Amino acid sequence: MRLDQFLSESRIIKRRAQAKLACDNKIVAVDGIIAKPSKEIKVGQKIKIEFTNKTLEVEILEIPRGS
């Protein structure tokens, strides 16, 4: 699953367009490396998002199934 799609479907970021924009603005890292929106993610990877006023770190435990 693509990173921007995962962020949207897991509701970490509300909309996929916003998730893509966050990746394009280089505030999203996967396993410590700045990631593009098209990055394929896997279970066990760690995502770090540097928002303006906070930092969010999550570990992927499960890939959500599309509706």
Side-chain angles (χ1 to χ4, degrees):
M1 174 177 280
R2 290 172 53 109
L3 175 59
D4 59 346
Q5 185 178 5
F6 173 80
L7 293 172
S8 172
E9 288 189 21
S10 63
R11 306 305 285 167
I12 294 171
I13 296 179
K14 201 174 239 186
R15 295 183 184 95
R16 187 168 177 181
Q18 290 173 329
K20 181 184 181 310
L21 187 60
C23 293
D24 290 341
N25 287 332
K26 300 181 180 181
I27 65 167
V28 181
V30 176
D31 293 333
I33 300 169
I34 298 296
K36 294 183 178 180
S38 61
K39 168 114 176 107
E40 288 295 318
I41 52 109
K42 301 175 190 113
V43 172
Q45 289 182 312
K46 294 183 176 152
I47 298 173
K48 182 176 183 180
I49 305 172
E50 303 258 352
F51 292 107
T52 306
N53 56 350
K54 66 181 176 181
T55 300
L56 176 67
E57 294 186 52
V58 295
E59 182 177 351
I60 301 170
L61 301 177
E62 184 178 337
I63 306 291
R65 295 184 184 257
S67 344

